[in-house]
Amino acid sequence: AQRVTQPEKLLSVFKGAPVELKCNYSYSGSPELFWYVQYSRQRLQLLLRHISRESIKGFTADLNKGETSFHLKKPFAQEEDSAMYYCAFRLTTDSWGKLQFGAGTQVVVTP
Amino acid sequence: DAGVTQSPTHLIKTRGQQVTLRCSPKSGHDTVSWYQQALGQGPQFIFQYYEEEERQRGNFPDRFSGHQFPNYSSELNVNALLLGDSALYLCASSLFNDGVSDTQYFGPGTRLTVL
């Protein structure tokens, strides 16, 4: 069965330090991967999707099919990056686009 | 555009009762998906509605049912509530275009507590 794994429940980093959130998936085909973010008291919102290959708020993520990973990275963390981050996956063969989410990683950026 | 809206914000019910949650999609969207997010977990897909029909369903019992109206809004109904149904229920809307459902936008959720 397809599965998304985020191994870190909590990631604590200092402001200005690099941050990397890990996401691994299990699927033999071509998936579509997303990162969603939830800031305190706000709704879940899309941060980026791998097919867009864009950088949002300084974050980037590269799909590595060999390692079945889609890690999220930012070279210099800011305090406003403190939030809950979810990696999500959908099958490219699924026209309805059901999303499967990881358990999430809480990021805390301290000054 | 207010985006996806959900009501109510919070709800407290007792075991065995029934509950109805409501969702209005983002303007221009025609597809609604529902997710359950238990504490400390990522959202889990319940089902999805398009053109007033359930198109896809996750691993949830028949106690969970839904409906979509001609104006694309949707309801999630849960019968015979169990303590384990306590969770944040998220609605997401998207546009079904060229045979594919596009990016999902989420509502703020309804927090259901079952006592």
Side-chain angles (χ1 to χ4, degrees), chain A residues 9 34 36 38 42-46 49 84 86 90 94-104, chain B residues 2-4 35 37 40-43 45 48 50 55-56 96 99-104 106-108:
Chain A
K9 275 194 174 297
F34 305 80
Y36 278 82
Q38 188 167 31
Q42 293 187 29
R43 65 185 65 193
L44 199 59
Q45 55 187 280
L46 180 66
R49 56 195 298 185
M84 194 73 181
Y86 294 95
R90 68 180 263 183
D94 175 11
S95 59
W96 298 107
K98 176 181 82 173
L99 290 171
Q100 296 184 68
F101 287 85
Chain B
V4 181
Y35 292 81
Q37 186 174 18
Q41 303 290 323
F45 177 78
Q48 183 180 57
Y50 172 71
R55 299 293 175 166
Q56 204 174 35
F96 193 75
V100 177
S101 179
D102 205 350
T103 303
Q104 294 186 26
F106 284 81

